[in-house]
Amino acid sequence: MMKHRNAARFAALVAATVLLTPVGTAHSEPAGDDDRPVPLPAGVTRADVQRQQDLEQALGELWTLVPNDGAGAPGFGSVAVDRNSQRVTIYWQGEVPDAIRALESSTRAEISVAAAPFSQSDSDRAADYIFGLARDGRIPLPASVGLNATADEIHVLFTVEDLSRVNIDELVTATESATGARPTVAAATRTFVGASRQNDSSPWYGGSAM
């Protein structure tokens, strides 16, 4: 079952890629017409490209410290990225490691660290427990389980129809008792269609469909 992840990192890197694509790549062929810089898209300046490069490098420094999307760094909650203002907010539970705190002095982007009541590890434990209940047929399959953008809530989302068959108080209490993390259960505000990469359920075609 797929667990919902914060998409801020993905959105920032995609944006950076879109802007960086026209720059071109270095090669060892003799200089000639092909070495001329590729024109940038309308409305995009070299300064825009440089800002995106700086932001990508700042995020790269962060992700080397929090491997596996944060699962390998106890305390990491989530990261919010505002690419227009070059602002990155890291949400962290508990004592912040010196290496993470040091990122606040980055010259590539404005980076700050904020306290968070939940970590990615908390969310993963809750998700494993809740999806386990679904596998056992005790609750409907959730549409998603994961931290919100500021890591202060673990959202468990069901379709409206499925939510009507869930004893919310019982699920919240059981999850908190089993994992130490108290989730927020609600109806999904959008329909989750095609959300799976089909590497976790039938028909099992995985990346071949990408």
Side-chain angles (χ1 to χ4, degrees):
M1 264 63 70
M2 185 177 66
K3 303 171 188 174
H4 174 74
R5 303 292 190 203
N6 188 298
R9 176 196 177 201
F10 176 78
L13 294 181
V14 168
T17 301
V18 170
L19 290 179
L20 290 173
T21 299
V23 175
T25 55
H27 53 77
S28 59
E29 294 177 5
D33 291 344
D34 290 341
D35 292 316
R36 291 177 300 181
V38 177
L40 296 173
V44 177
T45 67
R46 293 291 173 186
D48 292 330
V49 173
Q50 184 61 55
R51 281 194 294 272
Q52 291 302 319
Q53 287 177 326
D54 289 343
L55 182 58
E56 182 179 8
Q57 290 175 0
L59 290 169
E61 293 174 1
L62 168 63
W63 293 114
T64 60
L65 298 174
V66 287
N68 301 323
D69 289 336
F76 174 77
S78 65
V79 56
V81 179
D82 184 339
R83 66 183 183 85
N84 293 319
S85 64
Q86 296 290 101
R87 184 173 299 149
V88 177
T89 304
I90 304 167
Y91 293 92
W92 201 275
Q93 179 193 58
E95 184 176 354
V96 180
D98 291 341
I100 296 296
R101 186 66 73 184
L103 293 176
E104 292 183 306
S105 61
S106 173
T107 59
R108 296 188 178 95
E110 182 181 340
I111 299 178
S112 61
V113 181
F118 294 112
S119 68
Q120 188 62 57
S121 296
D122 292 332
S123 178
D124 288 344
R125 287 198 309 275
D128 288 342
Y129 175 75
I130 291 168
F131 281 124
L133 295 178
R135 283 195 300 270
D136 293 342
R138 297 170 61 184
I139 62 171
L141 181 67
S144 69
V145 178
L147 285 173
N148 65 346
T150 54
D152 57 2
E153 288 186 342
I154 298 175
H155 288 170
V156 182
L157 304 180
F158 294 90
T159 64
V160 174
E161 179 181 355
D162 284 344
L163 185 61
S164 67
R165 299 188 285 119
V166 175
N167 184 320
I168 296 177
D169 290 339
E170 183 178 293
L171 176 59
V172 168
T173 300
T175 302
E176 183 176 25
S177 176
T179 69
R182 185 177 182 83
T184 299
V185 180
T189 57
R190 64 184 178 87
T191 302
F192 289 77
V193 177
S196 174
R197 290 177 291 181
Q198 291 307 139
N199 62 354
D200 52 13
S201 61
S202 177
W204 307 103
Y205 50 72
S208 64
M210 298 171 124

